[in-house]
Amino acid sequence: EVQLVESGGDLVQPGGSLRLSCAASGFRVSGNYMSWVRQAPGKGLEWVSLLYSDETTSYAPSVKGRFTISRDNSENTLYLQLNSLRVEDTAVYYCARMLGGDYFDSWGQGTLVTVSS
Amino acid sequence: EIVLTQSPATLSLSPGERATLSCRASQSIGRYLAWYQQKPGQAPRLLIYDASNRATGIPARFSGSGSGTDFTLTVSSLEPEDFALYYCQQRTNWPTFGQGTRLEIK
């Protein structure tokens, strides 16, 4: 069974940093395209970042230069490093496996990041 | 950036009725469109991909159609568990989502 479990969300001050983790089971993170998608409170879904199986990365313009996506193959875990955090980064962050690199076919339960002073 | 516009914002229907949700893209995206369902406190769930293919385990009452810029999600006969938020998503350049349609019980 495919399972994704996020962790690492917290309350952080503007300008601060945080690292989110997404532990996968039932499949290999290294063999799939993986993404982070976020959802601000009461708002819609926003794609954040994509890690291709060849480790090429892609970022939404709103986070490029501040966030870094990576993985640990031995731990079968996906990460998102969040730097220079802004109030508008407050959201539930979901990790998701991508079907063919196009669509999100499996999702974690999400982890809440709150940026506030 | 490709913008997806969903309509209506809210759809009020009764169980057993047919639901038709729309998604319009700001430019042609071929058939590269997906639909998701999200219930309160839960992650989204993939329903339809490539405009008309049902994802694994999705009931046959859910169907998708369209191409180019205009797409439709149809629920043929609403079950109580179908009342939720629905999002469309495209993947050209980078993934973007529509703003959502809330399907509520009338």
Side-chain angles (χ1 to χ4, degrees):
Chain A
E1 180 193 2
V2 171
Q3 193 171 14
L4 296 164
V5 179
E6 300 96 334
S7 60
D10 205 347
L11 170 63
V12 61
Q13 291 188 338
S17 297
L18 209 54
R19 189 177 82 156
L20 307 182
S21 301
C22 172
S25 58
F27 74 101
R28 301 302 302 175
V29 166
S30 59
N32 287 268
Y33 294 3
M34 299 293 298
S35 268
W36 289 93
V37 177
R38 68 185 180 183
Q39 187 169 35
K43 302 296 184 183
L45 300 166
E46 180 188 19
W47 170 77
V48 172
S49 182
L50 165 60
L51 179 64
Y52 295 88
S53 52
D54 67 357
E55 298 197 276
T56 303
T57 59
S58 181
Y59 298 93
S62 59
V63 307
K64 195 170 186 178
R66 301 188 298 123
F67 292 7
T68 303
I69 191 171
S70 64
R71 72 187 185 216
D72 183 324
N73 294 342
S74 64
E75 295 292 328
N76 206 31
T77 298
L78 181 73
Y79 298 102
L80 187 67
Q81 177 69 40
L82 293 67
N83 296 332
S84 304
L85 281 161
R86 305 167 181 169
V87 170
E88 55 266 32
D89 294 319
T90 294
V92 173
Y93 284 72
Y94 296 100
C95 70
R97 186 179 71 174
M98 296 191 75
L99 178 65
D102 300 325
Y103 313 114
F104 309 96
D105 72 335
S106 295
W107 298 67
Q109 85 290 348
T111 188
L112 177 61
V113 173
T114 303
V115 185
S116 175
S117 54
Chain B
E1 176 182 340
I2 294 177
V3 177
L4 297 178
T5 302
Q6 292 186 240
S7 62
T10 302
L11 185 57
S12 300
L13 294 169
S14 300
E17 289 193 294
R18 181 184 187 90
T20 302
L21 288 67
S22 295
C23 178
R24 175 165 289 179
S26 58
Q27 64 188 77
S28 178
I29 56 172
R31 292 179 56 82
Y32 295 111
L33 187 100
W35 291 93
Y36 300 84
Q37 178 193 69
Q38 187 178 34
K39 297 180 179 179
Q42 296 184 17
R45 177 174 70 145
L46 178 65
L47 299 174
I48 301 287
Y49 65 95
D50 287 344
S52 61
N53 295 319
R54 270 190 304 276
T56 303
I58 302 303
R61 64 181 182 273
F62 291 91
S63 64
S65 64
S67 65
T69 60
D70 291 297
F71 300 85
T72 300
L73 173 70
T74 300
V75 188
S76 59
S77 180
L78 286 165
E79 297 287 341
E81 62 267 27
D82 298 335
F83 293 91
L85 264 171
Y86 290 83
Y87 293 95
C88 57
Q89 175 248 322
Q90 65 82 35
R91 64 70 146 157
T92 301
N93 298 328
W94 67 82
T96 59
F97 294 86
Q99 83 282 10
T101 289
R102 181 178 303 278
L103 180 54
E104 65 176 26
I105 299 177
K106 188 173 183 179

